[in-house]
Amino acid sequence: MKPIQVGLLGIGTVGSGTFNVLERNQDEIRRRAGRGIEITMVADLDTERAKSVVGDKVKVVGDAREVIANPGIDVVVELIGGYGIAKALVLEAIAAGKHVVTANKALLAVHGTEIFKAAAEKGVIVAYEAAVAGGIPIIKALREGLTANSIQWVAGIINGTTNFILSEMRDKGLDFDVVLKEAQRLGYAEADPTFDIEGVDAAHKATLMSAIAFGIPVQFDKAYVEGITKLAGADIKYAEQLGYRIKLLGITKRTDKGIELRVHPSLVPAKRLIANVEGAMNAVVVNGDAVGTTLYYGKGAGSEPTASAVVADLVDIARLHGADPAHSVPALAFQSHTLAAAGHELPVLPMAEVVTSYYLRIRVADEAGVLAKITGLLAGAGISIDAVLQREADEVGGEGSTQTDLIILTHDTREGDMDKALAEIQGLPTVLAPITRIRKEELN
Ligand code: HSE
């Protein structure tokens, strides 16, 4: 069979990894796909750099639209990123009848509904394994391997930059700002790390997992997003003393009322495998009613790990190219006409409706009755306390200090009730600083 012809839009880190993996493993890939997969055209603004990666045998152009207009190209691989030009090019490629492979989580989390609809109408595939957790085949696992299950929840460390920062904060006892600078110096964090550290990148990925886990449309606008910028080294230390690690988790969960979709720092019991995922590694835990809990671990970014996912998508497309589109796995795992209805039956819940447990750190005046007053307000809001830790005032504020930290772990509570109780506690004259609230996930 004729090799499938691939055009790359962008040949940076992931593009060059894709080219190299396809070159190196071409014999095995052909045996698996049933036909060759050849990159025959590359568009990149930096044509000289592109030529230095692909050599003379591949046509290099500066204009991505030349790739899309080429009738010989069967698949367009979009590796530009972002919502701007990438969105226009993906829609144009679909309109031109090309299959699309993309690593662009931001694009799909925000504009996925429009893009998948256009692809379905045109009978082409939009594949995106590389968009979530890089080299970990979590899209494949959720869409295919776990297809028998009613998925109950998914929780993942799906941003390597923040996991690296949190690991360093714990290992070295440093605060966020110091570690971020070090991460940037080492090249782990982007020069503008906003999407990573504010949780946006993880929320894009959680949004995609939520859609394919529960058969609902992508709804990034309904995700709750909180990053790691306000985490203090002290909280990581106190969490450790209580038997927990703090991780930035992307969580999506089925409840009686709807779907939870949230990204925020979370206390996780130190004995869970996912709590021990260190550095820039990613991991995703999926709980299905039939299979129970499964764990997927690996590199969430990088040239060849991400290329591993891109090439897997190319192999799927090579096998299906020319087949009836009805035979391909639905883009969001569920038949597309069932998604919209599910979006109403299973709404994404506002954060106030989320039920979880909490870690609270409250800086207080070290005087009689303060703890009783705070626990009284929690009890009044129906919030049950699981554990209390009080630091020595000297340890918190230095010798002779009259302030101390109260650390309180609660049982499961509705977030709206916690908001109300914390507003009251914050108003007490003996509470001396903004209260730190970190959600706690037992993941059992
Ligand atoms: N910036 C991401 C991370 C990788 O740090 O995991 C690409 O999604």
Side-chain angles (χ1 to χ4, degrees):
M1 215 186 296
K2 183 174 155 289
I4 201 145
Q5 311 277 302
V6 178
L8 294 190
L9 309 187
I11 187 151
T13 308
V14 178
S16 48
T18 301
F19 183 80
N20 293 334
V21 171
L22 273 176
E23 281 275 294
R24 190 172 69 239
N25 296 339
Q26 56 181 300
D27 289 340
E28 285 190 62
I29 289 169
R30 184 183 307 106
R31 285 171 55 210
R32 288 185 171 122
R35 64 199 299 180
I37 298 175
E38 289 177 0
I39 293 175
T40 51
M41 201 166 174
V42 172
D44 199 290
L45 292 176
D46 189 342
T47 48
E48 286 314 308
R49 192 199 52 194
K51 280 181 193 156
S52 75
V53 177
V54 298
D56 313 327
K57 282 189 239 139
V58 176
K59 183 164 186 206
V60 173
V61 294
D63 180 2
R65 290 193 164 97
E66 275 193 55
V67 175
I68 294 170
N70 182 338
I73 295 291
D74 304 303
V75 190
V76 168
V77 179
E78 183 274 307
L79 299 170
I80 297 166
Y83 323 101
I85 186 70
K87 182 186 174 200
L89 294 172
V90 163
L91 288 171
E92 285 172 34
I94 291 168
K98 318 286 187 200
H99 303 293
V100 172
V101 174
T102 178
N104 192 336
K105 60 235 78 179
L107 177 64
L108 294 181
V110 176
H111 299 292
T113 301
E114 180 184 350
I115 289 168
F116 293 132
K117 183 166 175 280
E121 283 168 6
K122 198 73 191 176
V124 296
I125 296 168
V126 173
Y128 55 94
E129 184 64 71
V132 182
I136 303 175
I138 189 63
I139 302 298
K140 193 88 158 172
L142 281 168
R143 282 203 322 194
E144 298 177 53
L146 299 175
T147 198
N149 288 263
S150 170
I151 305 283
Q152 300 303 300
W153 52 265
V154 181
I157 295 172
I158 44 182
N159 182 271
T161 305
T162 44
N163 202 53
F164 173 81
I165 292 173
L166 292 175
S167 300
E168 289 287 291
M169 285 173 74
R170 186 177 78 85
D171 280 356
K172 300 186 176 154
L174 296 170
D175 271 322
F176 169 78
D177 295 345
V178 180
V179 179
L180 173 62
K181 283 206 184 76
E182 179 67 358
Q184 283 173 310
R185 197 183 62 77
L186 292 170
Y188 282 107
E190 308 274 348
D192 178 2
T194 314
F195 265 27
D196 292 320
I197 61 179
E198 297 293 359
V200 178
D201 174 73
H204 287 146
K205 295 165 182 167
T207 297
L208 289 170
M209 293 199 293
S210 156
I212 57 176
F214 304 119
I216 57 173
V218 286
Q219 295 165 82
F220 174 70
D221 56 331
K222 307 231 174 79
Y224 174 80
V225 189
E226 181 184 317
I228 63 167
T229 54
K230 296 192 183 74
L231 272 183
D235 294 312
I236 291 178
K237 188 179 73 182
Y238 293 150
E240 188 98 20
Q241 290 167 4
L242 291 158
Y244 292 86
R245 302 262 167 91
I246 297 181
K247 295 291 183 189
L248 182 72
L249 292 186
I251 298 168
T252 187
K253 197 180 276 189
R254 183 195 298 270
T255 75
D256 292 342
K257 290 185 181 163
I259 300 297
E260 296 180 6
L261 173 56
R262 48 195 171 99
V263 169
H264 49 70
S266 307
L267 269 76
V268 180
K271 62 186 177 202
R272 299 270 178 272
L273 285 171
I274 195 169
N276 295 281
V277 171
E278 299 288 3
M281 299 303 282
N282 281 200
V284 183
V285 184
V286 183
N287 182 276
D289 67 336
V291 73
T293 300
T294 56
L295 170 70
Y296 308 83
Y297 170 83
K299 289 186 178 151
S303 179
E304 292 207 357
T306 311
S308 166
V310 170
V311 174
D313 280 345
L314 289 173
V315 170
D316 279 349
I317 288 171
R319 288 175 181 143
L320 283 163
H321 184 55
D324 180 341
H327 294 162
S328 56
V329 180
L332 291 177
F334 291 70
Q335 298 298 332
S336 57
H337 65 276
T338 69
L339 297 175
H344 296 296
E345 286 156 20
L346 288 172
V348 175
L349 296 172
M351 200 57 195
E353 292 299 325
V354 164
V355 174
T356 185
S357 54
Y358 294 85
Y359 159 103
L360 306 174
R361 175 166 59 86
I362 311 177
R363 177 62 59 92
V364 294
D366 192 12
E367 334 173 332
V370 174
L371 177 62
K373 185 85 190 153
I374 290 171
T375 55
L377 286 172
L378 289 171
I383 296 169
S384 168
I385 292 171
D386 181 30
V388 178
L389 178 72
Q390 179 169 347
R391 308 313 306 160
E392 294 289 334
D394 287 357
E395 194 188 317
V396 173
E399 208 175 313
S401 171
T402 56
Q403 302 183 5
T404 191
D405 277 336
L406 285 178
I407 317 296
I408 299 175
L409 299 185
T410 76
H411 289 297
D412 275 352
T413 302
R414 207 181 131 267
E415 176 112 352
D417 296 335
M418 180 56 85
D419 289 342
K420 223 163 125 257
L422 288 186
E424 287 175 25
I425 295 169
Q426 191 69 72
L428 295 173
T430 45
V431 171
L432 306 174
I435 298 168
T436 299
R437 166 239 303 256
I438 307 175
R439 298 164 191 92
K440 181 161 82 65
E441 301 295 327
E442 292 297 326
L443 301 182
N444 52 12

